[in-house]
Amino acid sequence: MPRYFFHVEDGAIHADAEGMELSGLDAAREHAVCYFAELLRDTPRAFWGRGEWLMRVTDAAGLVFFTLHFVAINAAAGGGASRHA
């Protein structure tokens, strides 16, 4: 089974040195969304103060398969039109 690495940037870089063996790219996509949902659920206040959050999913050689981006943009009614994540 291929091993995928889930590197997170949330104002700091969190490299995944261990990775996870999964059945394929579809399983890696599902894991990435669930993992990112956990991060957002566990630290919702941090999300609003650190700019864009992203996750790059790679193989052991660093080949990027896909990237997830999470960005929040305040509308005027929500406190301005500034971009936050």
Side-chain angles (χ1 to χ4, degrees):
M1 271 199 275
R3 182 172 293 271
Y4 297 91
F5 297 81
F6 301 84
H7 309 290
V8 175
E9 295 181 29
D10 62 358
I13 298 173
H14 307 279
D16 177 5
E18 186 177 323
M20 177 175 281
E21 285 187 355
L22 296 164
S23 61
L25 197 52
D26 285 340
R29 287 183 177 120
E30 289 177 21
H31 178 76
V33 169
C34 291
Y35 178 35
F36 224 136
E38 285 179 31
L39 293 174
L40 292 167
R41 182 189 68 229
D42 293 344
T43 57
R45 288 181 187 232
F47 173 71
W48 288 98
R50 292 191 182 160
E52 179 180 40
W53 283 20
L54 62 91
M55 176 185 290
R56 285 190 183 86
V57 178
T58 71
D59 65 7
L63 177 67
V64 177
F65 292 110
F66 59 90
T67 304
L68 301 177
H69 295 259
F70 290 86
V71 178
I73 301 171
N74 283 327
S82 62
R83 179 176 158 161
H84 295 280

